[in-house]
Amino acid sequence: MTVMIYGLGCRSTKKARNWMINHQIPFVERDMMQEPLTVQELQELLQLTTDGTDDILSKRSLPYRNMNIDFDNLSLLELLETIHQHPRLLKSPLIVENRKLQVGYNEEGIRQFLPRKIRKFQWLQWKMEHLQPIES
């Protein structure tokens, strides 16, 4: 399955895109401002989170701070509809493949999108370079 990068055109989204290109990983990028996530897509993303909306909601964003809304008192459906209408409430990028989700760009975390055989090869290569044999 192809990796999906949902972004807002920020630096982190560009870093994720460049990382995918450099590691030759096929991906599809979607600008959430041009094509906001639907309520159903947001529900599907939430199923991949550990802490629900706290994982994907950007509480430091300008829209979050400027909106005169008590987000904690919204029903889940009301919150998802608000996010759909105001995509900048989301953290960016949201990187998804199958059951894997990464929120934001993280150099270590993004490696989960490398194929397993490449990760295993790189791990073995690292071990050969960094571990010393036990002398008897």
Side-chain angles (χ1 to χ4, degrees):
M1 184 169 188
T2 302
V3 174
M4 286 293 303
I5 300 175
Y6 300 103
L8 295 170
C10 60
R11 259 186 297 170
S12 294
T13 301
K14 291 174 186 169
K15 285 181 182 179
R17 177 188 327 121
N18 289 336
W19 190 91
M20 295 290 173
I21 291 168
N22 291 339
H23 289 86
Q24 300 175 348
I25 297 174
F27 68 96
V28 174
E29 185 175 359
R30 178 167 156 189
D31 184 333
M32 294 187 291
M33 291 304 296
Q34 299 293 321
E35 188 181 348
L37 294 171
T38 65
V39 169
Q40 182 176 345
E41 289 171 322
L42 289 165
Q43 288 172 327
E44 291 168 5
L45 273 176
L46 284 175
Q47 292 176 0
L48 303 176
T49 64
T50 304
D51 293 323
T53 57
D54 285 343
D55 284 350
I56 64 171
L57 196 60
S58 179
K59 295 182 178 181
R60 294 187 299 172
S61 69
L62 199 56
Y64 185 90
R65 291 182 293 178
N66 288 342
M67 294 178 101
N68 195 16
I69 296 175
D70 185 356
F71 287 92
D72 292 331
N73 285 330
L74 294 177
S75 71
L76 180 58
L77 184 57
E78 290 171 328
L79 177 60
L80 296 180
E81 287 173 348
T82 302
I83 292 171
H84 170 72
Q85 294 167 3
H86 304 278
R88 291 211 181 271
L89 289 170
L90 290 170
K91 294 178 181 176
S92 177
L94 301 170
I95 308 169
V96 181
E97 180 189 36
N98 294 330
R99 305 294 303 158
K100 297 182 232 173
L101 168 67
Q102 179 176 327
V103 179
Y105 177 79
N106 176 289
E107 189 71 38
E108 289 301 314
I110 200 167
R111 296 180 52 73
Q112 70 179 308
F113 298 102
L114 285 170
R116 178 170 276 145
K117 64 182 178 181
I118 292 174
R119 288 194 321 262
K120 186 173 183 176
F121 174 76
Q122 288 178 347
W123 169 244
L124 291 172
Q125 194 174 29
W126 181 88
K127 280 175 53 174
M128 294 294 292
E129 293 171 3
H130 293 89
L131 298 178
Q132 300 296 323
I134 299 173
E135 295 182 24
S136 34

